Amino acid sequence: MRIFAAASEIFPLAKTGGLADVTGALPGALAGHGMGVVTVVPGYPAVLAALEDHAVVHGYGDLFGGKARLLKGRARGLDIIAVDAPHLYDRPGNIYLGPDGKDWPDNARRFAALSKAAADLACGKAGEDGADILHCHDWQTALAPVYVKFAGGKKPAKTVMTVHNIAFQGQFPASIFGTLGLPAQAFAIDGLEYYGNVGFLKGGLATADRITTVSPSYAQEICTPEFGMGLDGLLRARRDVLAGIVNGIDEAVWDPARDPHLPQTYGAKTLDRRTANKRAVEQRFQLAQGDGILHGVVSRLTWQKGMDIFVACLDALVAGGARLALIGAGEADIEKAILAAAQRHPGRIGAVLGYDEGLSHLIQAGCDTILVPSRFEPCGLTQLYGLRYGCLPVVARTGGLNDTVIDANDAAIRAGVATGFQFSPVDQATLAHALARAADCYADPSLWRGMQKRAMASDVSWSRSAAAYVQLYRNLLKA
Ligand code: ADP
């Protein structure tokens, strides 16, 4: 089976978020099932710099405004084809944003070009033999299934469209349609037309042979007006080809037994050693030392993450006897409220504003819980790290949070299967109630220890998810 993937980010070459983690890890996990994946990515400077002895597989005289080459090679352990198009990708800084912090004005062209190159490669029109499957990730590559459908040639590849967050859709004015090199019939309800505009993700969802998203619950949710962000009608119509597959984590990077960021490594049998990490969290976050429950937060400080509601709960959290260590960055109002709460409660609330990989590991290894009160969460990684580190997740019952954490209700406790705490809907009262439930369980050390062990035994690996993708590809080829 020849599989091409297409993505605007891939770890470790180019990353702004979880998308890169998925596109970077999935090829390795699929290799474990005997499947090779070549990923088509933009030739950003960092990608071209990492490319080892490449071959030029195709040249374009004019790819959206300039010459381009498709370079095939290995980069940091990945098989890639880089779209070397300097007029589109040879820019410093963030891959989506210009120096003014706004989207590059030609993002439509930049990612139409990526989609076109991926479709040409997959359909055997760009020097390669073509592919059986073309797996596209998010709006930046969502035009590829449209190109395959409307301009595919003799043997178009089967296409898979994966949605990592439906909030990002790639919508542009109708005036760009003429630049895309698609036949007129593509600007239609079964193509990329979206309320009179051009919708990249809409086009991908309308034309791909299969649609996936990153958890079964999110797959259901995006079919509803509340979560579908305008695309729910289309998704309901295509429900028979929609599936949810939960992401895995990089278990080498997130391994409490070998984590270089920790003062003290530990395993499920040596949970007592976590205490040294708790002491380190207290010190680093200027918290009073103590054995009482210590909550942790590692998050973007945004509305999506429910952080506005969380900050409103902080006084009650402290009044209940708990402490908090938080690292995050985001919306100014939320940052301000957190700093104010830390000032009101010295020794009880410790906050670091910014992004710090090391501290994020320390929180997972030293705090008792990790809080994820998201309003929506396609998959979520933070709670998966929490499970692996025995840092019990307290999560909103939504999306991937719902699918990966088993709530400690009475039945689950009696059955010995609970791994964390869920609450719903996301508001102050339900969050406060979940925190109180966590504190109650924490007061019973053998119950807590049992939950930690179970959490650490949860399968958060890529192998299970990769098997699900393999099955999906196989079914698609049979279809
Ligand atoms: P999202 O991609 O929506 O932000 P995820 O839970 O899928 O949410 O992934 C977030 C990732 O970013 C996790 O790896 C988390 O540890 C990390 N992260 C978020 N904020 C910070 C921060 N301030 N410092 C360090 N790591 C962070």
Side-chain angles (χ1 to χ4, degrees), residues 49 244 269 275 340 370-371 377-378:
K269 292 195 179 124
T275 308
I370 187 85
L371 310 181
E377 193 62 76

Side-chain angles (χ1 to χ4, degrees), residues 18 254 298-300 304-305 327-329 354-357 360 377 380-382 385:
W254 292 90
V298 179
S299 183
R300 294 189 282 121
Q304 181 201 330
K305 298 290 178 182
I327 171 132
Y355 191 96
D356 188 316
E357 195 71 24
S360 74
E377 193 62 76
L381 293 172
T382 318
Y385 302 142

Side-chain angles (χ1 to χ4, degrees), residues 42-302:
Y44 307 123
V47 169
L48 297 183
L51 199 56
E52 299 153 18
D53 36 299
H54 59 262
V56 179
V57 296
H58 189 66
Y60 289 97
D62 180 4
L63 183 69
F64 289 86
K67 283 191 177 159
R69 299 180 308 162
L70 302 182
L71 311 178
K72 184 174 187 180
R74 299 266 301 167
R76 308 282 294 269
L78 298 158
D79 289 312
I80 63 166
I81 294 180
V83 183
D84 178 21
H87 60 294
L88 301 173
Y89 307 125
D90 185 11
R91 298 173 194 183
N94 185 289
I95 57 181
Y96 305 121
L97 312 174
D100 57 359
K102 296 200 179 119
D103 289 346
W104 289 111
D106 58 349
N107 271 354
R109 274 195 312 149
R110 296 174 77 220
F111 296 112
L114 175 64
S115 301
K116 173 87 166 69
D120 286 349
L121 282 159
C123 295
K125 299 203 297 186
E128 287 283 288
D129 289 341
D132 300 304
I133 304 270
L134 173 59
H135 189 162
C136 303
H137 296 271
D138 272 356
W139 75 265
Q140 297 89 349
T141 57
L143 279 198
V146 182
Y147 283 114
V148 170
K149 173 168 174 178
F150 291 99
K154 285 203 184 90
K155 190 180 169 287
K158 299 277 190 182
T159 50
V160 178
M161 182 77 239
T162 293
V163 181
H164 296 264
N165 189 337
I166 207 155
F168 304 106
Q169 301 186 352
Q171 283 173 33
F172 300 97
S175 54
I176 71 151
F177 181 75
T179 68
L180 299 177
L182 282 161
Q185 73 261 32
F187 193 72
I189 186 103
D190 62 348
L192 47 65
E193 188 272 335
Y194 187 57
Y195 294 111
N197 293 322
V198 167
F200 275 41
L201 185 61
K202 190 273 168 169
L205 295 177
T207 54
D209 295 301
R210 289 282 186 284
I211 301 168
T212 76
T213 186
V214 288
S215 68
S217 286
Y218 195 59
Q220 299 279 337
E221 288 166 358
I222 56 179
C223 291
T224 67
E226 191 186 351
F227 292 95
M229 304 218 170
L231 291 171
D232 46 288
L234 169 59
L235 288 164
R236 281 196 297 280
R238 303 215 65 202
R239 211 170 211 153
D240 54 331
V241 298
L242 168 66
I245 300 174
V246 170
N247 293 332
I249 66 169
D250 186 330
E251 291 179 303
V253 174
W254 292 90
D255 179 357
R258 279 182 203 84
D259 189 330
H261 297 292
L262 307 187
Q264 178 66 66
T265 55
Y266 61 95
K269 292 195 179 124
T270 51
L271 273 165
D272 287 338
R273 293 201 205 152
R274 283 184 106 253
T275 308
N277 298 321
K278 193 166 185 173
R279 295 288 96 87
V281 172
E282 287 162 349
Q283 214 171 26
R284 184 64 188 74
F285 288 83
Q286 296 180 321
L287 294 168
Q289 191 175 316
D291 292 325
I293 193 163
L294 173 56
H295 300 296
V297 169
V298 179
S299 183
R300 294 189 282 121
L301 303 177
T302 63

